[in-house]
């Protein structure tokens, strides 16, 4: 996979939820604390734990209730295939959220961008080991059902490498107001 070039000029603003960016551009990633300790991630945490449990069960890995991430990290170290990358989704009345483990790429390059009503996440990391270089990468594309305000999509990463993307829904009331004004 080729490295994605940043061909866009990014316009953004800081908000309490993260950093906002205009459509078809690279999103800045707000930095947060540890995933299982920072209150910012509280509403998505259970979904993420369930996704980790499914991968641990698939590989027959013993779960450490004290540190679920350590159990998961052991699986990822043995087999870092894309299907072992934890991805979880949640939805409420106001937002869609996607949370994914990018721990393996935290010291490399992680990019989030909005493109054609989708959110694209890419990760790339190169390692120098002894006399050779290795590179691993991933590419994920997410579609959200219904009307989403793509200009208000935000992203945040925990200090332990869990990326959360928040896509605000466009409420039916906002759609009705827009139609009324346009008539």
């Amino acid at each position: 996979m080729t490295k994605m070039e940043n061909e866009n000029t990014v316009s953004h603003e800081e908000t309490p939820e993260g950093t906002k960016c205009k459509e078809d551009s690279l999103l800045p990633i707000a930095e947060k604390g540890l995933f299982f300790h920072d209150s910012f991630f509280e509403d998505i945490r259970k979904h993420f734990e369930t996704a980790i449990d499914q991968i641990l069960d698939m590989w027959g890995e013993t779960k450490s209730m004290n540190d679920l991430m350590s159990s998961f990290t052991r699986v990822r170290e043995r087999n870092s295939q894309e299907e072992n990358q934890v991805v979880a989704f949640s939805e409420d009345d106001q937002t869609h959220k996607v949370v994914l483990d990018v721990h393996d790429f935290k010291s490399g390059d992680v990019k989030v961008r909005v493109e054609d009503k989708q959110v694209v996440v890419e990760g790339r990391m190169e390692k120098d080991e002894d006399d050779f270089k290795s590179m691993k990468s991933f590419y994920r594309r997410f579609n959200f059902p219904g009307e989403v305000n793509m200009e208000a999509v935000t992203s945040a990463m925990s200090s332990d490498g869990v990326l959360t993307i928040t896509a605000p829904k466009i409420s039916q009331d906002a759609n009705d107001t827009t139609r009324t004004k346009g008539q």
Side-chain angles (χ1 to χ4, degrees):
M1 194 169 290
T2 62
K3 184 176 180 181
M4 179 181 286
E5 298 298 322
N6 179 9
E7 66 263 356
N8 299 307
T9 303
V10 180
S11 141
H12 64 274
E13 63 178 290
E14 283 294 324
T15 68
E17 295 80 35
T19 307
K20 293 184 181 181
C21 206
K22 291 195 175 189
E23 193 167 345
D24 292 331
S25 61
L26 198 60
L27 289 175
I29 302 172
E31 294 180 21
K32 301 291 181 181
L34 293 169
F35 184 78
F36 287 103
H37 299 286
D38 191 321
S39 63
F40 178 85
F41 303 106
E42 191 170 351
D43 63 332
I44 190 77
R45 200 172 288 139
K46 192 69 176 165
H47 298 280
F48 190 71
E49 288 174 356
T50 300
I52 289 175
D53 279 340
Q54 290 172 348
I55 290 175
L56 293 177
D57 288 345
M58 181 175 73
W59 287 97
E61 179 71 29
T62 305
K63 299 171 194 169
S64 166
M65 295 318 272
N66 294 338
D67 191 359
L68 195 59
M69 282 302 282
S70 291
S71 300
F72 172 67
T73 300
R74 284 193 301 274
V75 169
R76 289 288 289 167
E77 285 172 353
R78 287 193 315 265
N79 190 341
S80 63
Q81 295 174 357
E82 195 167 304
E83 63 267 11
N84 292 333
Q85 184 180 33
V86 175
V87 179
F89 305 92
S90 78
E91 175 182 4
D92 60 28
D93 293 341
Q94 298 174 345
T95 62
H96 295 281
K97 285 192 178 184
V98 178
V99 61
L100 64 155
D101 171 53
V102 296
H103 178 265
D104 294 347
F105 301 91
K106 192 157 173 29
S107 63
D109 188 23
V110 176
K111 294 181 180 179
V112 179
R113 63 188 254 152
V114 174
E115 180 180 280
D116 299 325
K117 305 259 182 218
Q118 298 176 328
V119 173
V120 176
V121 182
E122 283 189 288
R124 177 185 165 123
M125 192 180 90
E126 292 182 19
K127 275 187 177 178
D128 289 327
E129 294 180 14
D130 298 326
D131 293 336
F132 67 94
K133 284 187 178 189
S134 65
M135 197 247 335
K136 64 180 174 178
S137 63
F138 76 92
Y139 179 89
R140 296 280 182 132
R141 186 176 286 272
F142 300 100
N143 294 306
F144 301 102
E147 295 284 327
V148 174
N149 182 354
M150 298 305 280
E151 291 183 6
V153 172
T154 61
S155 61
M157 186 174 322
S158 68
S159 59
D160 51 350
V162 180
L163 179 68
T164 301
I165 300 163
T166 304
K169 293 179 178 180
I170 297 175
S171 70
Q172 189 60 38
D173 294 339
N175 284 338
D176 293 343
T177 303
T178 303
R179 275 191 233 117
T180 305
K181 287 180 182 177
Q183 291 179 352

